[in-house]
PDB file of all heavy atoms in Angstrom:
ATOM      1  N   ARG B  27     -17.951 -15.400  -2.790  1.00  0.00           N
ATOM      2  CA  ARG B  27     -19.087 -15.128  -1.902  1.00  0.00           C
ATOM      3  C   ARG B  27     -19.036 -15.949  -0.619  1.00  0.00           C
ATOM      4  O   ARG B  27     -19.364 -15.466   0.455  1.00  0.00           O
ATOM      5  CB  ARG B  27     -20.396 -15.446  -2.633  1.00  0.00           C
ATOM      6  CG  ARG B  27     -20.627 -14.618  -3.876  1.00  0.00           C
ATOM      7  CD  ARG B  27     -21.335 -13.337  -3.542  1.00  0.00           C
ATOM      8  NE  ARG B  27     -21.656 -12.552  -4.707  1.00  0.00           N
ATOM      9  CZ  ARG B  27     -22.641 -11.691  -4.762  1.00  0.00           C
ATOM     10  NH1 ARG B  27     -23.426 -11.541  -3.706  1.00  0.00           N
ATOM     11  NH2 ARG B  27     -22.862 -10.960  -5.832  1.00  0.00           N
ATOM     12  N   LEU B  48      10.440 -19.857   4.442  1.00  0.00           N
ATOM     13  CA  LEU B  48      11.087 -20.996   5.111  1.00  0.00           C
ATOM     14  C   LEU B  48      12.396 -21.380   4.434  1.00  0.00           C
ATOM     15  O   LEU B  48      13.391 -21.673   5.107  1.00  0.00           O
ATOM     16  CB  LEU B  48      10.125 -22.186   5.133  1.00  0.00           C
ATOM     17  CG  LEU B  48       8.857 -22.012   5.986  1.00  0.00           C
ATOM     18  CD1 LEU B  48       7.921 -23.195   5.793  1.00  0.00           C
ATOM     19  CD2 LEU B  48       9.209 -21.835   7.459  1.00  0.00           C
ATOM     20  N   LEU B  91       4.946  -5.724  17.517  1.00  0.00           N
ATOM     21  CA  LEU B  91       4.865  -7.060  16.927  1.00  0.00           C
ATOM     22  C   LEU B  91       6.228  -7.740  16.956  1.00  0.00           C
ATOM     23  O   LEU B  91       6.354  -8.917  17.331  1.00  0.00           O
ATOM     24  CB  LEU B  91       4.346  -6.960  15.493  1.00  0.00           C
ATOM     25  CG  LEU B  91       3.927  -8.256  14.811  1.00  0.00           C
ATOM     26  CD1 LEU B  91       2.707  -8.852  15.509  1.00  0.00           C
ATOM     27  CD2 LEU B  91       3.609  -7.998  13.343  1.00  0.00           C
ATOM     28  N   ILE B 120     -11.438  -6.458  -5.471  1.00  0.00           N
ATOM     29  CA  ILE B 120     -11.640  -5.096  -5.965  1.00  0.00           C
ATOM     30  C   ILE B 120     -11.817  -5.086  -7.476  1.00  0.00           C
ATOM     31  O   ILE B 120     -12.706  -4.420  -8.018  1.00  0.00           O
ATOM     32  CB  ILE B 120     -10.451  -4.201  -5.553  1.00  0.00           C
ATOM     33  CG1 ILE B 120     -10.451  -3.989  -4.034  1.00  0.00           C
ATOM     34  CG2 ILE B 120     -10.497  -2.853  -6.279  1.00  0.00           C
ATOM     35  CD1 ILE B 120      -9.178  -3.373  -3.509  1.00  0.00           C
ATOM     36  N   GLY B 162      -2.507   0.512  -0.587  1.00  0.00           N
ATOM     37  CA  GLY B 162      -3.242   0.072  -1.767  1.00  0.00           C
ATOM     38  C   GLY B 162      -4.723  -0.084  -1.509  1.00  0.00           C
ATOM     39  O   GLY B 162      -5.567   0.362  -2.299  1.00  0.00           O
ATOM     40  N   MET B 188      -4.279   5.391   8.864  1.00  0.00           N
ATOM     41  CA  MET B 188      -3.783   5.560  10.219  1.00  0.00           C
ATOM     42  C   MET B 188      -2.930   4.360  10.636  1.00  0.00           C
ATOM     43  O   MET B 188      -1.827   4.525  11.173  1.00  0.00           O
ATOM     44  CB  MET B 188      -4.943   5.728  11.204  1.00  0.00           C
ATOM     45  CG  MET B 188      -4.485   5.929  12.645  1.00  0.00           C
ATOM     46  SD  MET B 188      -5.845   5.936  13.843  1.00  0.00           S
ATOM     47  CE  MET B 188      -6.359   4.210  13.788  1.00  0.00           C
ATOM     48  N   ALA B 234      -3.405  11.841  10.848  1.00  0.00           N
ATOM     49  CA  ALA B 234      -2.825  13.111  11.275  1.00  0.00           C
ATOM     50  C   ALA B 234      -2.955  13.304  12.783  1.00  0.00           C
ATOM     51  O   ALA B 234      -2.018  13.785  13.443  1.00  0.00           O
ATOM     52  CB  ALA B 234      -3.503  14.264  10.536  1.00  0.00           C
ATOM     53  N   SER B 235      -4.097  12.936  13.349  1.00  0.00           N
ATOM     54  CA  SER B 235      -4.302  13.129  14.792  1.00  0.00           C
ATOM     55  C   SER B 235      -3.319  12.286  15.599  1.00  0.00           C
ATOM     56  O   SER B 235      -2.776  12.743  16.609  1.00  0.00           O
ATOM     57  CB  SER B 235      -5.739  12.788  15.174  1.00  0.00           C
ATOM     58  OG  SER B 235      -6.050  11.436  14.854  1.00  0.00           O
ATOM     59  N   PRO B 251      10.121  17.725  17.931  1.00  0.00           N
ATOM     60  CA  PRO B 251       8.931  16.976  17.519  1.00  0.00           C
ATOM     61  C   PRO B 251       9.227  15.578  17.016  1.00  0.00           C
ATOM     62  O   PRO B 251       8.347  14.728  16.999  1.00  0.00           O
ATOM     63  CB  PRO B 251       8.335  17.845  16.405  1.00  0.00           C
ATOM     64  CG  PRO B 251       9.508  18.584  15.862  1.00  0.00           C
ATOM     65  CD  PRO B 251      10.421  18.833  17.024  1.00  0.00           C
ATOM     66  N   GLN B 257      13.722  10.658  13.962  1.00  0.00           N
ATOM     67  CA  GLN B 257      14.589  11.711  14.476  1.00  0.00           C
ATOM     68  C   GLN B 257      15.608  12.186  13.443  1.00  0.00           C
ATOM     69  O   GLN B 257      16.195  13.265  13.601  1.00  0.00           O
ATOM     70  CB  GLN B 257      15.314  11.232  15.735  1.00  0.00           C
ATOM     71  CG  GLN B 257      16.232  10.045  15.523  1.00  0.00           C
ATOM     72  CD  GLN B 257      16.783   9.525  16.836  1.00  0.00           C
ATOM     73  OE1 GLN B 257      16.556  10.107  17.892  1.00  0.00           O
ATOM     74  NE2 GLN B 257      17.510   8.427  16.790  1.00  0.00           N
ATOM     75  N   VAL B 270      20.012  11.589  -4.618  1.00  0.00           N
ATOM     76  CA  VAL B 270      18.838  11.262  -5.430  1.00  0.00           C
ATOM     77  C   VAL B 270      19.091  11.618  -6.889  1.00  0.00           C
ATOM     78  O   VAL B 270      18.804  10.835  -7.806  1.00  0.00           O
ATOM     79  CB  VAL B 270      17.585  11.998  -4.907  1.00  0.00           C
ATOM     80  CG1 VAL B 270      16.438  11.875  -5.905  1.00  0.00           C
ATOM     81  CG2 VAL B 270      17.163  11.428  -3.575  1.00  0.00           C
ATOM     82  N   TRP B 290       0.893   6.797 -15.537  1.00  0.00           N
ATOM     83  CA  TRP B 290       0.398   7.868 -16.420  1.00  0.00           C
ATOM     84  C   TRP B 290      -0.374   7.287 -17.604  1.00  0.00           C
ATOM     85  O   TRP B 290      -1.414   7.811 -17.982  1.00  0.00           O
ATOM     86  CB  TRP B 290       1.570   8.704 -16.930  1.00  0.00           C
ATOM     87  CG  TRP B 290       2.222   9.566 -15.897  1.00  0.00           C
ATOM     88  CD1 TRP B 290       1.761   9.853 -14.649  1.00  0.00           C
ATOM     89  CD2 TRP B 290       3.468  10.251 -16.032  1.00  0.00           C
ATOM     90  NE1 TRP B 290       2.640  10.675 -13.980  1.00  0.00           N
ATOM     91  CE2 TRP B 290       3.694  10.944 -14.800  1.00  0.00           C
ATOM     92  CE3 TRP B 290       4.420  10.354 -17.035  1.00  0.00           C
ATOM     93  CZ2 TRP B 290       4.836  11.734 -14.588  1.00  0.00           C
ATOM     94  CZ3 TRP B 290       5.544  11.132 -16.831  1.00  0.00           C
ATOM     95  CH2 TRP B 290       5.749  11.820 -15.620  1.00  0.00           C
ATOM     96  N   ARG B 298      -8.625   9.687 -16.972  1.00  0.00           N
ATOM     97  CA  ARG B 298      -8.609  10.310 -15.650  1.00  0.00           C
ATOM     98  C   ARG B 298      -7.316  11.102 -15.501  1.00  0.00           C
ATOM     99  O   ARG B 298      -6.352  10.641 -14.878  1.00  0.00           O
ATOM    100  CB  ARG B 298      -8.705   9.256 -14.552  1.00  0.00           C
ATOM    101  CG  ARG B 298     -10.125   8.768 -14.328  1.00  0.00           C
ATOM    102  CD  ARG B 298     -10.209   7.912 -13.100  1.00  0.00           C
ATOM    103  NE  ARG B 298     -11.588   7.618 -12.765  1.00  0.00           N
ATOM    104  CZ  ARG B 298     -11.960   6.779 -11.799  1.00  0.00           C
ATOM    105  NH1 ARG B 298     -11.048   6.173 -11.086  1.00  0.00           N
ATOM    106  NH2 ARG B 298     -13.235   6.559 -11.565  1.00  0.00           N
ATOM    107  N   THR B 343     -14.532   1.142 -13.351  1.00  0.00           N
ATOM    108  CA  THR B 343     -15.247  -0.027 -13.860  1.00  0.00           C
ATOM    109  C   THR B 343     -15.005  -0.176 -15.365  1.00  0.00           C
ATOM    110  O   THR B 343     -15.036   0.813 -16.096  1.00  0.00           O
ATOM    111  CB  THR B 343     -16.754   0.115 -13.594  1.00  0.00           C
ATOM    112  OG1 THR B 343     -16.946   0.252 -12.183  1.00  0.00           O
ATOM    113  CG2 THR B 343     -17.514  -1.098 -14.077  1.00  0.00           C
ATOM    114  N   GLY B 349     -10.450  -0.375 -24.299  1.00  0.00           N
ATOM    115  CA  GLY B 349      -9.818   0.083 -23.065  1.00  0.00           C
ATOM    116  C   GLY B 349      -9.240  -1.071 -22.268  1.00  0.00           C
ATOM    117  O   GLY B 349      -8.144  -0.969 -21.713  1.00  0.00           O
ATOM    118  N   LEU B 351      -8.148  -3.918 -23.477  1.00  0.00           N
ATOM    119  CA  LEU B 351      -6.948  -4.388 -24.166  1.00  0.00           C
ATOM    120  C   LEU B 351      -5.758  -3.487 -23.854  1.00  0.00           C
ATOM    121  O   LEU B 351      -4.652  -3.976 -23.571  1.00  0.00           O
ATOM    122  CB  LEU B 351      -7.201  -4.435 -25.673  1.00  0.00           C
ATOM    123  CG  LEU B 351      -5.990  -4.797 -26.545  1.00  0.00           C
ATOM    124  CD1 LEU B 351      -5.476  -6.185 -26.193  1.00  0.00           C
ATOM    125  CD2 LEU B 351      -6.345  -4.698 -28.029  1.00  0.00           C
ATOM    126  N   LEU B 361       4.708  -5.697 -15.812  1.00  0.00           N
ATOM    127  CA  LEU B 361       5.347  -6.966 -15.451  1.00  0.00           C
ATOM    128  C   LEU B 361       6.831  -6.930 -15.821  1.00  0.00           C
ATOM    129  O   LEU B 361       7.696  -7.313 -15.017  1.00  0.00           O
ATOM    130  CB  LEU B 361       4.636  -8.119 -16.157  1.00  0.00           C
ATOM    131  CG  LEU B 361       5.258  -9.513 -16.030  1.00  0.00           C
ATOM    132  CD1 LEU B 361       5.263  -9.956 -14.570  1.00  0.00           C
ATOM    133  CD2 LEU B 361       4.502 -10.517 -16.881  1.00  0.00           C
TER     134      LEU B 361
END
Side-chain angles (χ1 to χ4, degrees):
R27 299 272 184 154
L48 294 174
L91 192 66
I120 292 168
M188 181 187 69
S235 60
Q257 62 187 355
V270 169
W290 289 348
R298 280 189 171 174
T343 301
L351 175 61
L361 173 63

